């Protein structure tokens, strides 16, 4: 049986993924701000170092997979924190854990992006570049400035919307660029992303109110239902399997058809 590190295990998709993998007989090392094996704030450099150090100690330097799921939504008032948690959290943690994934011989990594990267028209290109260049402080400043520049009404409702969509856009681009680099691809470490749509977790229910009508949701929901955390956990499990050996750099939309409805001709 395999050993997997999962972030965000205290709630939502991370909790469901931990349950799914443990039920399949695997060892799960959970990371979160609270109620987890390892307590760490992945929005800070220190927290990422702590998390990586404790994961490596627990797995003995050999890790079969990582699911970087922890994240925040667009209603977080601090746009800088949105960038640090949603982009630099998974990126830095995975960079720190890559050698342990390589040591397994068939390492697997999956991150949780969002279909907001392609369905929200507020991507800040300069912020994407700063993120991909690894400039966390400059990215934080830029995210705050971009939030200030949002129309006041929108900012009052979802202050972190631009930073949120941009963090997930940059994360998807990082996955595609990184997955094919020799340090990952030729070490047998596969790296993919899941782009969920509206999934009924505390994050989504907190930002859009209690269970609404999917047909009244701001983006189209072709299947007529919201996702459940288990719908994401299913694909997390698939991406972490050793048999998933010919897929890397992929972005899988698990969104009830929202992205296809909004961008039917995008490939
Ligand atoms: P959730 O709020 O139920 O769970 C997120 C978990 O991440 C929580 O346990 C929280 O404590 C943890 N977390 C947040 N900040 C952290 C930090 N600084 N350090 C360590 N842990 C931290 O949310 P959900 O919905 O399960 O979110 C999982 C991922 O899915 C996030 O990356 C989110 O952006 C993404 N997502 C969610 C969607 C939805 O509709 N629920 C849609 C698209 C993407």
């Amino acid at each position: 049986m395999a050993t997997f590190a999962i972030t965000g295990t205290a709630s939502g998709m991370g909790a469901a993924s931990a349950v799914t993998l443990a039920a399949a007989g695997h060892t799960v090392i959970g990371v979160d701000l609270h109620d987890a094996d390892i307590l760490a704030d992945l929005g800070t450099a220190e927290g990422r170092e702590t998390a990586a150090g404790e994961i490596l100690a627990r797995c003995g330097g050999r890790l079969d997979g990582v699911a970087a799921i922890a994240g925040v939504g667009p209603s977080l008032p601090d746009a800088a924190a949105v960038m640090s948690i949603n982009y630099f959290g998974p990126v830095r943690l995975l960079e720190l854990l890559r050698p342990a994934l390589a040591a397994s011989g068939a390492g697997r990594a999956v991150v949780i992006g969002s279909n907001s990267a392609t369905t929200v028209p507020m991507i800040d290109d300069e912020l994407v570049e700063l993120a991909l260049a690894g400039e966390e402080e400059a990215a934080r400043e830029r995210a705050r400035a971009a939030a200030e520049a949002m129309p006041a009404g929108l900012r009052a409702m979802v202050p972190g919307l631009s930073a949120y969509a941009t963090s997930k856009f940059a994360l998807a681009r990082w996955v595609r660029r990184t997955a094919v680099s020799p340090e990952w691809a030729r070490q047998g470490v596969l790296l993919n992303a899941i782009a969920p749509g509206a999934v009924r977790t505390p994050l989504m229910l907190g930002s859009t109110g209690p269970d609404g009508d999917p047909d009244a949701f701001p983006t189209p929901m072709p299947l007529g239902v919201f996702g459940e955390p288990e719908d994401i956990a299913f694909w997390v499990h698939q991406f972490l399997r050793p048999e998933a050996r010919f897929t890397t750099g992929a972005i899988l939309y698990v969104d009830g058809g929202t992205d296809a409805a909004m961008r039917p001709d995008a490939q």
Side-chain angles (χ1 to χ4, degrees):
M1 289 292 111
T3 300
F4 297 122
I6 305 181
T7 71
T9 48
S11 179
M13 301 174 195
S17 299
V19 167
T20 298
L21 290 159
H26 301 300
T27 299
V28 171
I29 304 169
V31 183
D32 207 304
L33 290 169
H34 55 90
D35 299 310
D37 301 314
I38 298 170
L39 302 185
D41 181 353
L42 298 170
T44 67
E46 189 188 21
R48 295 165 206 145
E49 296 274 351
T50 298
E54 292 199 26
I55 290 168
L56 293 173
R58 284 174 185 247
C59 73
R62 183 189 170 283
L63 199 53
D64 297 297
V66 179
I69 300 176
V72 290
S75 54
L76 198 73
D78 183 0
V82 173
M83 269 323 276
S84 284
I85 297 167
N86 283 5
Y87 178 82
F88 290 98
V91 166
R92 294 279 194 243
L93 187 68
L94 284 169
E95 286 171 346
L96 292 167
L97 295 177
R98 188 193 56 78
L101 290 165
S104 98
R108 303 283 181 263
V110 61
V111 306
I112 302 295
S114 170
N115 72 356
S116 297
T118 50
T119 60
V120 172
M122 297 191 72
I123 304 301
D124 179 339
D125 293 334
E126 191 174 322
L127 183 49
V128 172
E129 290 308 319
L130 289 170
L132 288 163
E135 303 281 351
E136 184 167 3
E137 278 315 310
R140 288 172 59 87
E141 274 176 36
R142 174 76 192 180
R144 282 208 183 100
E148 304 267 312
M150 278 167 58
L154 190 60
R155 195 169 77 231
M157 279 191 301
V158 271
L161 184 59
S162 173
Y164 178 78
T166 303
S167 71
K168 298 296 192 179
F169 183 98
L171 186 59
R173 187 166 285 182
W174 178 81
V175 163
R176 287 179 61 80
R177 288 185 180 183
T178 304
V180 295
S181 67
E183 294 77 19
W184 289 72
R186 292 303 169 102
Q187 297 293 315
V189 185
L190 276 47
L191 170 63
N192 293 290
I194 295 170
V199 178
R200 289 176 0 104
T201 67
L203 182 153
M204 178 203 155
L205 298 174
S207 63
T208 60
D211 281 36
D213 173 4
D215 288 327
F217 199 68
T219 52
M221 301 299 302
L223 293 180
V225 290
F226 293 126
E228 299 295 335
E230 293 73 21
D231 296 320
I232 306 303
F234 172 81
W235 289 107
V236 167
H237 188 187
Q238 305 314 309
F239 276 125
L240 293 182
R241 298 175 90 102
E243 297 88 348
R245 57 182 196 176
F246 199 49
T247 303
T248 201
I251 315 290
L252 179 71
Y253 291 89
V254 184
D255 69 350
T258 300
D259 185 71
M262 292 182 71
R263 306 187 312 132
D265 298 334
Q267 314 235 333

Coordinates of all heavy atoms in Angstrom, one line a residue, residues 7-14 31-34 40-44 68-73 85-86 112-116 164 168 195-204, ligand 1:
T7 N -3.0 17.8 1.5 CA -3.3 19.0 2.2 C -4.8 19.4 2.2 O -5.5 19.0 1.3 CB -2.4 20.2 1.6 OG1 -3.0 20.6 0.4 CG2 -1.0 19.8 1.5
G8 N -5.2 20.1 3.2 CA -6.6 20.5 3.3 C -7.5 19.4 3.8 O -8.7 19.4 3.5
T9 N -6.9 18.5 4.6 CA -7.7 17.3 5.0 C -8.8 17.6 6.1 O -9.6 16.7 6.4 CB -6.8 16.2 5.5 OG1 -5.9 16.7 6.5 CG2 -6.1 15.5 4.4
A10 N -8.8 18.8 6.6 CA -9.8 19.1 7.7 C -11.2 19.3 7.1 O -12.1 19.4 7.9 CB -9.3 20.3 8.5
S11 N -11.3 19.5 5.8 CA -12.6 19.9 5.3 C -12.8 19.6 3.8 O -11.8 19.3 3.1 CB -12.8 21.4 5.5 OG -14.0 21.9 5.0
G12 N -14.0 19.6 3.4 CA -14.3 19.5 1.9 C -13.6 18.4 1.1 O -13.6 17.2 1.5
M13 N -13.0 18.8 0.0 CA -12.4 17.9 -0.9 C -11.2 17.1 -0.3 O -11.0 16.0 -0.6 CB -11.9 18.6 -2.2 CG -13.0 19.4 -2.9 SD -12.2 20.4 -4.2 CE -13.6 21.5 -4.6
G14 N -10.5 17.9 0.5 CA -9.3 17.2 1.1 C -9.7 16.1 2.1 O -9.1 15.0 2.1
V31 N -2.4 17.3 6.1 CA -1.9 18.6 6.5 C -3.0 19.6 6.5 O -3.7 19.7 5.5 CB -0.8 19.1 5.6 CG1 -0.2 20.4 6.0 CG2 0.3 18.0 5.4
D32 N -3.1 20.5 7.5 CA -4.1 21.5 7.5 C -3.8 22.5 8.6 O -2.8 22.3 9.4 CB -5.5 20.9 7.7 CG -6.6 21.8 7.0 OD1 -6.7 23.0 7.4 OD2 -7.4 21.3 6.2
L33 N -4.6 23.5 8.7 CA -4.4 24.5 9.8 C -4.9 24.0 11.1 O -4.4 24.4 12.2 CB -5.2 25.8 9.5 CG -4.8 26.7 8.3 CD1 -5.8 27.7 8.0 CD2 -3.5 27.4 8.7
H34 N -5.8 23.0 11.1 CA -6.3 22.4 12.3 C -6.8 21.0 12.0 O -7.0 20.6 10.8 CB -7.5 23.3 12.8 CG -8.6 23.5 11.7 ND1 -9.6 22.6 11.5 CD2 -8.7 24.4 10.7 CE1 -10.4 23.0 10.5 NE2 -9.8 24.1 10.0
A40 N 0.0 23.2 9.8 CA 0.9 24.1 9.2 C 0.1 25.1 8.4 O -0.9 24.7 7.8 CB 1.9 23.4 8.3
D41 N 0.6 26.3 8.3 CA 0.0 27.4 7.5 C 0.7 27.4 6.2 O 1.8 27.9 6.1 CB 0.1 28.7 8.2 CG -0.6 29.8 7.4 OD1 -1.0 29.6 6.2 OD2 -0.7 31.0 7.9
L42 N 0.1 26.8 5.1 CA 0.7 26.7 3.8 C 0.7 28.1 3.1 O 1.3 28.2 2.0 CB 0.0 25.7 3.0 CG 0.1 24.3 3.6 CD1 -0.8 23.3 2.9 CD2 1.6 23.8 3.6
G43 N 0.2 29.1 3.7 CA 0.2 30.4 3.2 C 1.5 31.1 3.5 O 1.8 32.3 3.1
T44 N 2.4 30.5 4.3 CA 3.7 31.1 4.7 C 4.8 30.2 4.3 O 4.7 28.9 4.3 CB 3.8 31.4 6.2 OG1 3.8 30.1 6.9 CG2 2.6 32.2 6.7
A68 N -2.3 18.3 -3.4 CA -2.3 19.6 -2.8 C -3.6 20.2 -3.0 O -4.0 20.7 -4.1 CB -1.2 20.4 -3.5
I69 N -4.5 20.1 -2.0 CA -5.9 20.5 -2.1 C -6.2 21.7 -1.3 O -7.1 22.5 -1.6 CB -6.7 19.3 -1.6 CG1 -6.4 18.0 -2.5 CG2 -8.2 19.6 -1.7 CD1 -7.1 16.8 -2.1
A70 N -5.5 22.0 -0.2 CA -5.8 23.1 0.7 C -5.9 24.4 -0.2 O -5.1 24.6 -1.1 CB -4.7 23.3 1.7
G71 N -6.8 25.2 0.2 CA -7.0 26.5 -0.5 C -8.1 27.3 0.0 O -8.9 26.8 0.9
V72 N -8.2 28.5 -0.5 CA -9.3 29.4 0.0 C -10.1 29.9 -1.2 O -9.7 29.7 -2.4 CB -8.7 30.6 0.7 CG1 -8.1 30.2 2.1 CG2 -7.6 31.3 -0.1
G73 N -11.2 30.5 -1.0 CA -12.1 30.9 -2.1 C -12.0 32.4 -2.3 O -11.2 33.1 -1.6
I85 N -1.7 31.4 -0.5 CA -2.2 30.1 -0.1 C -2.5 29.2 -1.4 O -2.2 28.0 -1.4 CB -3.5 30.2 0.7 CG1 -3.2 30.9 2.0 CG2 -4.2 28.9 1.0 CD1 -4.5 31.5 2.8
N86 N -3.2 29.8 -2.4 CA -3.6 29.0 -3.5 C -2.6 28.8 -4.5 O -2.6 27.7 -5.2 CB -4.8 29.7 -4.2 CG -6.1 29.6 -3.4 OD1 -6.1 29.0 -2.3 ND2 -7.2 30.1 -4.0
I112 N -5.2 21.0 -7.0 CA -6.6 21.5 -7.3 C -6.6 22.9 -7.8 O -6.2 23.8 -7.0 CB -7.5 21.4 -6.0 CG1 -7.5 19.9 -5.5 CG2 -8.9 21.8 -6.3 CD1 -8.2 18.9 -6.4
G113 N -6.9 23.1 -9.0 CA -7.0 24.4 -9.6 C -8.5 24.8 -9.5 O -9.1 24.6 -8.4
S114 N -9.0 25.4 -10.6 CA -10.4 25.7 -10.6 C -10.8 26.1 -12.0 O -10.0 26.6 -12.8 CB -10.7 27.0 -9.7 OG -12.0 27.5 -9.9
N115 N -12.1 25.8 -12.3 CA -12.5 26.3 -13.6 C -12.7 27.8 -13.7 O -12.9 28.4 -14.7 CB -13.8 25.6 -14.1 CG -15.1 26.0 -13.3 OD1 -15.0 26.8 -12.4 ND2 -16.2 25.5 -13.8
S116 N -12.5 28.5 -12.5 CA -12.5 30.0 -12.5 C -11.3 30.5 -13.4 O -11.4 31.6 -13.9 CB -12.3 30.5 -11.1 OG -13.4 30.1 -10.3
Y164 N -8.1 35.2 -6.9 CA -8.5 33.8 -6.9 C -8.4 33.2 -8.3 O -7.7 32.2 -8.5 CB -9.9 33.6 -6.3 CG -10.4 32.2 -6.4 CD1 -10.0 31.3 -5.4 CD2 -11.2 31.7 -7.4 CE1 -10.4 30.0 -5.4 CE2 -11.6 30.4 -7.4 CZ -11.2 29.5 -6.4 OH -11.6 28.2 -6.4
K168 N -5.4 30.5 -9.6 CA -5.7 29.1 -10.2 C -5.2 29.1 -11.7 O -4.8 28.0 -12.1 CB -7.2 28.8 -10.1 CG -7.7 28.8 -8.7 CD -7.1 27.6 -7.9 CE -7.8 27.4 -6.5 NZ -7.2 26.3 -5.8
A195 N -9.5 20.8 -12.2 CA -10.2 22.1 -12.2 C -11.7 21.9 -11.8 O -12.5 21.6 -12.7 CB -10.0 22.8 -13.5
P196 N -12.0 21.9 -10.5 CA -13.4 21.8 -10.1 C -14.2 23.0 -10.5 O -13.7 24.1 -10.7 CB -13.3 21.6 -8.6 CG -11.9 21.4 -8.2 CD -11.1 22.1 -9.3
G197 N -15.5 22.7 -10.6 CA -16.5 23.8 -10.7 C -17.1 23.9 -9.3 O -16.4 23.7 -8.3
A198 N -18.4 24.2 -9.3 CA -19.1 24.5 -8.0 C -19.3 23.1 -7.3 O -20.1 22.3 -7.7 CB -20.4 25.2 -8.2
V199 N -18.6 23.0 -6.1 CA -18.7 21.8 -5.3 C -19.1 22.2 -3.9 O -18.7 23.1 -3.4 CB -17.3 21.1 -5.3 CG1 -17.3 19.9 -4.4 CG2 -16.8 20.7 -6.7
R200 N -20.1 21.4 -3.4 CA -20.7 21.7 -2.2 C -19.8 21.4 -1.0 O -19.9 20.4 -0.4 CB -22.1 21.0 -2.0 CG -23.1 21.6 -3.0 CD -24.4 20.9 -3.0 NE -24.5 19.7 -2.1 CZ -25.2 19.8 -0.9 NH1 -25.8 20.8 -0.5 NH2 -25.3 18.7 -0.2
T201 N -18.9 22.4 -0.7 CA -18.0 22.3 0.5 C -18.3 23.5 1.3 O -18.9 24.5 0.8 CB -16.6 22.3 0.0 OG1 -16.3 23.6 -0.5 CG2 -16.3 21.2 -1.0
P202 N -17.7 23.6 2.5 CA -17.9 24.8 3.3 C -17.4 26.1 2.6 O -17.9 27.1 2.7 CB -17.0 24.5 4.6 CG -17.1 23.0 4.7 CD -17.1 22.5 3.3
L203 N -16.3 25.9 1.8 CA -15.8 27.0 1.0 C -16.9 27.6 0.1 O -17.1 28.8 0.1 CB -14.6 26.6 0.2 CG -13.8 27.6 -0.6 CD1 -12.4 27.2 -0.8 CD2 -14.4 27.8 -2.0
M204 N -17.5 26.8 -0.7 CA -18.5 27.3 -1.7 C -19.7 27.7 -1.0 O -20.3 28.8 -1.3 CB -18.8 26.2 -2.7 CG -19.9 26.6 -3.7 SD -20.7 25.2 -4.4 CE -22.3 25.9 -4.8
Ligands
LIG1 P1 -12.8 23.8 2.3 O1 -12.8 25.2 2.8 O2 -13.9 22.9 2.6 O3 -11.4 23.1 2.6 C1 -10.2 23.8 2.4 C2 -9.2 23.3 3.5 O4 -8.0 24.0 3.2 C3 -9.7 23.7 4.9 O5 -9.6 22.5 5.7 C4 -8.7 24.7 5.3 O6 -8.4 24.8 6.7 C5 -7.5 24.4 4.5 N1 -6.6 25.6 4.4 C6 -7.0 26.8 4.0 N2 -6.0 27.7 4.1 C7 -4.9 27.0 4.5 C8 -3.6 27.3 4.9 N3 -3.1 28.5 4.8 N4 -2.8 26.3 5.3 C9 -3.2 25.0 5.4 N5 -4.5 24.7 5.1 C10 -5.3 25.6 4.7 O7 -12.7 24.0 0.7 P2 -12.8 23.1 -0.6 O8 -13.9 23.5 -1.4 O9 -12.7 21.6 -0.2 O10 -11.5 23.5 -1.3 C11 -10.4 22.7 -1.7 C12 -9.8 23.3 -2.9 O11 -10.7 23.4 -4.0 C13 -9.3 24.7 -2.7 O12 -8.0 24.9 -3.3 C14 -10.3 25.6 -3.5 O13 -9.8 26.8 -4.0 C15 -10.6 24.6 -4.6 N6 -11.9 24.8 -5.3 C16 -13.1 24.8 -4.7 C17 -14.3 24.9 -5.3 C18 -15.6 24.7 -4.7 O14 -16.6 25.0 -5.4 N7 -15.7 24.2 -3.5 C19 -14.3 25.1 -6.8 C20 -13.0 25.2 -7.4 C21 -11.8 25.0 -6.7

